[in-house]
Amino acid sequence: ISYTSIWAQSLITATSFLVMTNANKFVILAVEACGFNAGMTSVQVAGASLSIVGGLLYGQARQEMEQLELKGERSMLLPKTSKSSPALAGA
């Protein structure tokens, strides 16, 4: 385990870290297959592609979920103001 993987684990959830690790392995596999002309069957290519796409979709869904949670937290922290608010009338 490198320093950067320990750092990444502290920033993201365990599930996100596992998805990132697995998607990274398939990216390395694809680079190896293309760069070193290692032959891959169509089933291997389909499996690797499916894994990479799944990792990307998970990352996108996770990011959208975090943005929705952040908007919810902001709306809870910011007071709702109106022109007839008694707190603002005395100011």
Side-chain angles (χ1 to χ4, degrees), residues 23-60:
N24 185 34
K25 289 178 185 177
F26 284 103
V27 169
I28 291 170
L29 182 86
V31 168
E32 179 184 348
C34 294
F36 298 113
N37 292 328
M40 289 180 67
T41 67
S42 59
V43 173
Q44 290 171 324
V45 170
S49 300
L50 185 63
S51 176
I52 292 169
V53 169
L56 292 172
L57 291 175
Y58 174 82
Q60 183 180 11

Side-chain angles (χ1 to χ4, degrees), residues 1-2 8-9 12 17 22 25 31 34-36 41 45 48-49 53 59 65 68 72 77 81-82 85:
I1 297 177
S2 67
Q9 280 181 324
I12 59 177
F17 185 76
N22 289 330
K25 289 178 185 177
V31 168
C34 294
F36 298 113
T41 67
V45 170
S49 300
V53 169
M65 187 177 75
L68 289 175
L77 293 175
T81 59
S82 66
S85 174

Side-chain angles (χ1 to χ4, degrees), residues 18-20 22 26 28 31 40 43 51-52 55 59 63 67 70 73-74 79-80 88:
L18 288 174
V19 170
M20 179 186 70
N22 289 330
F26 284 103
I28 291 170
V31 168
M40 289 180 67
V43 173
S51 176
I52 292 169
Q63 185 177 20
Q67 287 176 351
L70 185 61
E73 289 177 8
R74 284 185 183 162
K80 295 184 180 188
L88 295 176

